Each structure stands twice: as C-alpha cells, then as structure tokens.
Amino acid sequence: MASNVLSRKTGVIVGDDVLKLFNYAQEKQFAIPAINVTSSSTVVAALEAARDKKAPIILQMSQGGAAYFCGKGVSNSNQEASIAGAIAGAHYIRSVAPAYGIPVILHTDHCAKKLLPWLDGMLDEDEKYFKEHGEPLFSSHMIDLSEEEVGWNIQTTAKYLKRAAPMKQWLEMEIGITGGEEDGVNNESVDNNSLYTQPEDIYEIYKTLSTISPYFSIAAGFGNVHGVYKPGNVKLHPELLGKHQAYVKEKAGRKEEKPVFLVFHGGSGSTKQEYKDAIGYGVVKVNLDTDLQYAYLTGIRDYVLKKKDYIMTQVGNPDGEDKPNKKYFDPRVWVREGEKTMSVRVQEGLVDFNTAGQL
C-alpha cells in the first residue's frame, strides 16, 4: 500500500513523501491524476473521488484557475490575483484535505515565460511558509518554458530548482510542446514534429537537474494535445517515453529501468491503452482537465433542465402558484450536482490509471 511508504498519511504531503510516492507509483505501475481545481467546489469533488476510491490525488491550480479562485473582479495585471488565489486555494486545500483521509500533492500547473512573476510570487510565499513550518506551502510547481529555446529552458528551470531545492520542493518542467490551447497559451498551429521530444533533450535535462535535486519530473511531448478531439486527429506515441528512459539509463549509467519521472499532459480524450502504455514507461502523473470541466457542467445542466419549471421564479411552480422554490434554486443544491458528476469522472480516471485501491 502506498500509505506504508509515507510518513504523512493524510493531507498535503511534501518533500521526501512526494518522492517516495512517485517511486512507489513507478514500481506498482500506476499514475496519479492531477486535477485542475478552480474553486472549493471542484476541490471537494476531486477529494471525494480519491477518498471513495482509496487513492492519492494531485490537486493543481493553473494561473487562470488561481485568478478565478481569487475572483474574476480582481485586477491581474501583475499576476496579483493569480498569486493571491493560489495562496488562498493552497491554504483551503491544506485545511480540508486531512478530513478526507488521503494523501494530496498540492501543485500548480503550466507557468510559461510570461507568467514567471506568478511563480516568483508563490515561491516567495513558499519560503515564508517554510521558515514558519519547515516545509513549503505547495508540494510542487510546474515551470513550462517549452515554447522557448531548449538551452534557455533548461538553464532557467535549473535556476528555479535551485531555489526550490532547500525546501525539498518538487519542480515539474516541460520539454516539447503540448498542442492545443490552455489558459491563453495557444499551440494549435505548431508543426507536428514539435510535439515529440528528443531523447537527447531528456538526457540533458536529467544531467543538469539531477546535480541540483532529485525532486523533479519531466513532461515530455509524445504527440500530446490539450483539449478533446475526434479520434484519429491526435497521434500519441507513448513508446517514445520508453526510448527516453533507455537513453537516460545508458548515458547516465543508472541501474533503474525508469530513471526519469515522466508526466502525461493533454490526457483528456486519450484511450485507456494509451494511458496504460505511458504509465508502463514511467509516467507517474496524468493531467485531467477538459473532461472534468464537461463532467461538472453535465450535473448542473441536467438539473436545470429537469427543474426548469421550479427555478423560473422564486415562488410558483407546477405544484402550486404559491409554492416557494428556494429549495430548488439554492446554489448548494445545483452546484452539488456538478460536484457529483465531476467526482464520478475523477473516479474513472483513478481506475484507468490504476490509482484506485493503492491506499
């Protein structure tokens, strides 16, 4: 059981526990879904699913999701809303996660070059929290400089890993572009060859970062695309991940068959076999977002359609013109329906990635 390797069994885990969990995931051939959360409601939906399936979970906030957590009415010209929202979300997750009895990795998603002030602000808070509690506020962050020149990407990532290392904080980086569009980063028109990372780049990253800290993972491109597309439009080649592992093992002289912790981005809409193959090659984290957004909508959509005649006015419905409708339009009722359907879809991911029952 994964809980046997962790010093902290429930709530947000950090440092060596994150490393131990990812090692265990590779050993037992499962990956942990990373759920993009934008509110307390989506946090609850994900935590419920993991609790009910007896599984660890990763909760992550994107720059846009963090800003939404703060409030869309707050200016974000200098990333202030994204910084404040991420910090608020982190404290909320830290407060409620222990109640669900599962280990949670608290992560932030894609941070492109133009968003680095957001990462800087969160790291400032991590260091402040570390001084008070002996651990960072966030378990991990992602820096995504995949649109930039490879050398600059690696060296800038190394600079940030050096800052995170004293806190034993995990850093995820990306090499090779994930297609599609997410949070204002649009790669829908990139050349297909850019979607496939080369093993030489993976080794160069491993060689550079492993001298700084063991707490890092690589999101390598193998045809991944954000969003959901018609079958056949996206050509995934997870077998490339196996070649990356073999190349790093040989060049670095490692004994492990899978020396690199890999991440699967653009996971929505992929087949179960594609997930299984990628996990077999050392993927320990799979991002899920688009499928979950739609799942959340379906619960609310179906409720509204079913109860339409009970929510058109505050008073008066098919049961009588003087009947009150508060119990139908109370947000706790219809928002809850979205949580339920999102939670079901998260549970599907936990099963697909072999995470269910690992606790």
Side-chain angles (χ1 to χ4, degrees):
M1 296 291 101
S3 54
N4 293 338
V5 304
L6 302 178
S7 62
R8 183 179 296 169
K9 313 295 185 185
T10 64
V12 172
I13 64 172
V14 296
D16 287 331
D17 275 342
V18 176
L19 180 60
K20 290 175 183 176
L21 182 57
F22 285 157
N23 273 320
Y24 187 82
Q26 279 195 342
E27 177 190 344
K28 300 299 181 182
Q29 302 245 329
F30 70 90
I32 306 168
I35 311 304
N36 281 74
V37 294
T38 56
S39 63
S40 61
S41 179
T42 51
V43 168
V44 164
L47 289 175
E48 282 189 2
R51 177 200 63 197
D52 293 348
K53 286 298 183 182
K54 295 180 173 56
I57 196 88
I58 299 170
L59 300 184
Q60 62 186 23
M61 287 174 278
S62 67
Q63 179 261 357
Y68 188 86
F69 221 113
C70 180
K72 293 292 285 184
V74 178
S75 171
N76 203 28
S77 57
N78 296 308
Q79 302 301 323
E80 57 266 50
S82 291
I83 293 168
I87 293 168
H91 282 290
Y92 172 74
I93 291 168
R94 277 187 170 272
S95 295
V96 302
Y100 290 82
I102 55 168
V104 176
I105 294 175
L106 176 54
H107 182 64
T108 60
D109 204 6
H110 295 270
C111 180
K113 181 180 180 180
K114 65 182 179 181
L115 303 180
L116 287 176
W118 173 50
L119 180 55
D120 294 334
M122 292 188 292
L123 284 169
D124 288 343
E125 194 67 19
D126 281 317
E127 289 165 345
K128 177 183 174 183
Y129 194 89
F130 183 81
K131 287 180 180 179
E132 297 176 6
H133 303 281
E135 64 185 57
L137 177 61
F138 295 88
S139 312
S140 58
H141 295 292
M142 183 194 181
I143 183 169
D144 177 6
L145 305 176
S146 56
E147 292 184 304
E148 313 303 324
E149 188 271 327
V150 171
W152 191 86
N153 178 355
I154 296 172
Q155 292 307 313
T156 305
T157 298
K159 182 182 74 172
Y160 276 93
L161 186 60
K162 287 176 182 176
R163 185 174 178 184
M167 298 181 284
K168 290 189 173 183
Q169 187 176 50
W170 198 272
L171 189 65
E172 175 187 335
M173 67 88 68
E174 183 162 345
I175 186 77
I177 293 173
T178 300
E181 189 275 335
E182 182 175 67
D183 253 18
V185 177
N186 194 320
N187 292 324
E188 291 177 313
S189 60
V190 299
D191 180 73
N192 278 347
N193 290 331
S194 300
L195 303 179
Y196 301 100
T197 305
Q198 301 305 308
E200 293 83 1
D201 290 337
I202 298 294
Y203 173 62
E204 189 61 31
I205 295 163
Y206 181 86
K207 182 176 70 173
T208 303
L209 300 187
S210 61
T211 62
I212 301 169
S213 166
Y215 308 107
F216 69 92
S217 52
I218 303 173
F222 55 101
N224 323 51
V225 175
H226 287 130
V228 178
Y229 298 84
K230 289 183 179 179
N233 284 7
V234 177
K235 303 294 184 183
L236 288 178
H237 291 281
E239 70 277 3
L240 294 176
L241 302 179
K243 294 180 180 179
H244 297 337
Q245 296 283 20
Y247 189 83
V248 172
K249 178 186 177 184
E250 177 188 355
K251 296 290 287 186
R254 303 297 301 183
K255 295 180 180 178
E256 309 97 307
E257 291 299 316
K258 294 176 282 191
V260 184
F261 295 107
L262 295 171
V263 176
F264 188 156
H265 280 243
S268 291
S270 300
T271 67
K272 292 181 181 180
Q273 188 60 48
E274 286 168 337
Y275 289 135
K276 183 178 180 180
D277 291 345
I279 292 168
Y281 294 126
V283 163
V284 295
K285 172 180 179 278
V286 181
N287 283 15
L288 280 183
D289 186 21
T290 306
D291 282 358
L292 302 182
Q293 292 176 345
Y294 186 72
Y296 190 93
L297 166 69
T298 59
I300 297 173
R301 177 200 66 194
D302 293 350
Y303 176 85
V304 169
L305 292 175
K306 183 178 179 181
K307 300 294 185 181
K308 181 177 73 71
D309 293 334
Y310 293 81
I311 59 175
M312 301 304 290
T313 59
Q314 291 193 57
V315 178
N317 60 49
D319 299 330
E321 61 182 22
D322 60 345
K323 296 291 185 179
N325 292 322
K326 187 180 188 311
K327 66 181 180 179
Y328 300 107
F329 64 71
D330 184 332
R332 291 172 294 182
V333 176
W334 51 269
V335 169
R336 178 59 182 160
E337 295 304 310
E339 292 172 1
K340 289 177 183 177
T341 46
M342 175 178 165
S343 189
V344 168
R345 181 61 185 86
V346 174
Q347 289 186 48
E348 290 179 18
L350 290 166
V351 172
D352 290 346
F353 308 156
N354 196 32
T355 334
Q358 294 292 346
L359 299 177

